[in-house]
Each structure stands twice: as structure tokens, then as C-alpha cells.
Amino acid sequence: MTSSPEISLDSLVLHATDNGVSWITLNRPEAMNAVTWDQRERVISLLADASADPAVRAVVLTATGKGFCAGADLRGAPSGGERVPGDVARTIRLGAQRLIAAVLDCEKPVIAAVNGTAAGIGAHLAFACDLVIAAEPARFIEVFVRRGLVPDGGGAYLLPRLVGPQRAKELMFFGDALPAADAERLGLVNRVVPADELEKTARAWAERLATGPTRAIAMTKQLVNAALESDRATAFAAEAAAQEINMTTADANEGVASFVERRTPSYEGR
């Protein structure tokens, strides 16, 4: 008896919600978690669900085995017959770029818990997250140049904003593996921890975020991401508008009240 496609997909992208944290786990360790078309769609859907669910207040994206994500595995993609001009660009727009945008646009903070090798789109998946925790054995590889390809999945957008154009070009021109410690030194990783402490650290960070003022964090994420492309006037206007909206939330009122009353705030994410 064979498993249904839905059950099979559920086993390839594990999902659980615990203490307000949505855990999304790539689970193809035999393939170093190279992400298939179906897995990508599942992750995008789970991130959208996290945005809409008030019970979810943080997200952790991680994987099983020795690899975080070895890139894209296109073997499961729908076949449209003979390739014609425009197919490749459309595939990238509707595929890798949608995945990266889903992380950037998620209304909840997303933590990457990078357990192993993150290559190609796998590296960009980690870099798109709001916070990155890496296990000591993890490494990041801009593998595209090794295959004679242009970086896709938002790489040329993300890396210069994280490390500057010269460092981004070095990583992309040579395609060398970047150890976790060097990634932390460059600012691509927030924290490097021993492998056996990765889940514990990610859980502690995520649960701390999950007790915070969720809407304020969402608007802060939007402000920071937009500020990288804004002039000062636009950024200042967006900041003022965000604070205006945020002051209508229950958590903002609780934060001010707790300050006045000299007590620890209790945020509900609303």
C-alpha cells in the first residue's frame, strides 16, 4: 500500500506549532534537503499560514540530517514540454523568487536554524530569514558559478545588503564554501553554536520572540526591509505611519501601561 501524495509531502516538510512557534523542517536528509517543487509550495503555504494565524508568533525554519538545503531539486517540477524563450525566467519568478519572498514577507519573525550545508537557493533561504543561527559544521556555498549559472533566488539582492557588494561578488564569483564561523564574522549569521545546541538555542530565541509584541515586531521587520531601498524621507514617513498604527494595538497599550505601573509587560500578540 502506497502513501498518498499529501501524506508523503507532510513527511518531507515536517510541521508543528509549539508555544506559539511554527516549526518548519525540511526532511529529505538523503538528498541533503535539496528542495523539490512540492516542498517549496508547502513551505510557502506554511509561511502564509503563520502570517494569518494569531496563535503563531514566530517561525523556525530548519532541516534534518547533515544538510540544511543543498539547493533546488527540479526533478519534481511539472513538465510543460519543450522549453521556449521565457520559460526559465518564469520558472525562477514563480519558484525560487516566490520562496524567498515568502520568507521576507512573512508577518512573523523567521529564524533559520542552519544545521548543515546551505548551498545555492538553500543559502539564500537562510539569508532571507530575520535571524540566522548556525551549527558549527554548517557552511554556505554560492554554488551557481560552479555550474556556470547566474545566482537566482534573490542572491544578488540579498547578499550585497548583508555584506556589501565586494564581499558579495567574492562569494558569488568563486563559489567557495564559507564556514559558519566566517559567515558569522561577515554578518551573514547572528550566532554559531555547537551542533547539539542548535535546536535548544533556536527554541529559546523563538519562544522569546513569541512572547513579544508580535505586531510591533512585524512592522519593525517591514520597516527594516524597506529602509534598505528607501530614501530618508520615505523611511521616516513609513516609521511614523507604522508607529501610528502600532499605537492602536493592545500590546502597545500594555507596554506603556506596564512602564507606568513599573511591572513586566504581558504581550498577547494583538
Side-chain angles (χ1 to χ4, degrees), residues 195-210:
D196 60 1
E197 294 182 14
L198 180 65
E199 181 179 347
K200 179 180 71 174
T201 305
R203 185 174 298 276
W205 281 30
E207 291 184 354
R208 182 177 176 186
L209 288 170

Side-chain angles (χ1 to χ4, degrees), residues 4-256:
S4 70
E6 183 178 355
I7 293 174
S8 176
L9 181 57
D10 286 347
S11 70
L12 295 177
V13 181
L14 307 178
H15 179 248
T17 301
D18 183 29
N19 286 339
V21 180
S22 173
W23 289 79
I24 302 173
T25 305
L26 300 177
N27 188 37
R28 290 182 71 218
E30 73 284 356
M32 296 287 283
N33 292 303
V35 67
T36 65
W37 187 91
D38 286 337
Q39 282 180 299
R40 183 194 71 219
E41 294 304 306
R42 173 71 169 153
V43 172
I44 291 172
S45 177
L46 288 170
L47 289 166
D49 290 346
S51 287
D53 188 350
V56 172
R57 298 170 65 184
V59 177
V60 175
L61 186 58
T62 190
T64 59
K66 296 182 178 179
F68 175 73
C69 178
D73 185 341
L74 300 179
R75 286 174 290 185
S79 175
E82 182 181 357
R83 181 189 296 169
V84 298
D87 283 352
V88 172
R90 189 180 312 105
T91 296
I92 292 170
R93 285 197 308 271
L94 299 180
Q97 290 177 351
R98 279 180 57 243
L99 176 61
I100 297 306
V103 178
L104 293 170
D105 295 339
C106 183
E107 294 178 34
K108 309 299 167 62
V110 183
I111 297 173
V114 183
N115 52 297
T117 298
I121 186 65
H124 301 164
L125 184 60
F127 299 153
C129 292
D130 302 301
L131 300 170
V132 183
I133 305 170
E136 288 174 347
R139 55 185 190 154
F140 302 84
I141 311 172
E142 287 295 324
V143 74
F144 299 93
V145 71
R146 299 186 184 182
R147 309 288 181 257
L149 300 174
V150 171
D152 62 34
Y157 172 87
L158 292 167
L159 259 74
R161 287 165 168 77
L162 292 167
V163 298
Q166 277 73 27
R167 289 292 191 185
K169 291 171 187 174
E170 179 183 347
L171 294 170
M172 291 179 165
F173 287 0
F174 293 114
D176 294 334
L178 185 70
D182 290 341
E184 182 183 31
R185 176 177 54 82
L186 291 177
L188 290 167
V189 168
N190 293 87
R191 187 76 53 84
V192 176
V193 298
D196 60 1
E197 294 182 14
L198 180 65
E199 181 179 347
K200 179 180 71 174
T201 305
R203 185 174 298 276
W205 281 30
E207 291 184 354
R208 182 177 176 186
L209 288 170
T211 61
T214 307
R215 296 310 305 164
I217 291 173
M219 283 185 274
T220 301
K221 172 176 178 171
Q222 293 170 357
L223 286 172
V224 172
N225 287 349
L228 296 170
E229 302 157 28
S230 300
D231 58 82
R232 187 183 69 178
T234 302
F236 276 24
E239 176 188 275
Q243 194 70 292
E244 176 78 24
I245 295 168
N246 184 64
M247 288 303 294
T248 68
T249 65
D251 281 349
N253 290 329
E254 165 64 9
V256 173

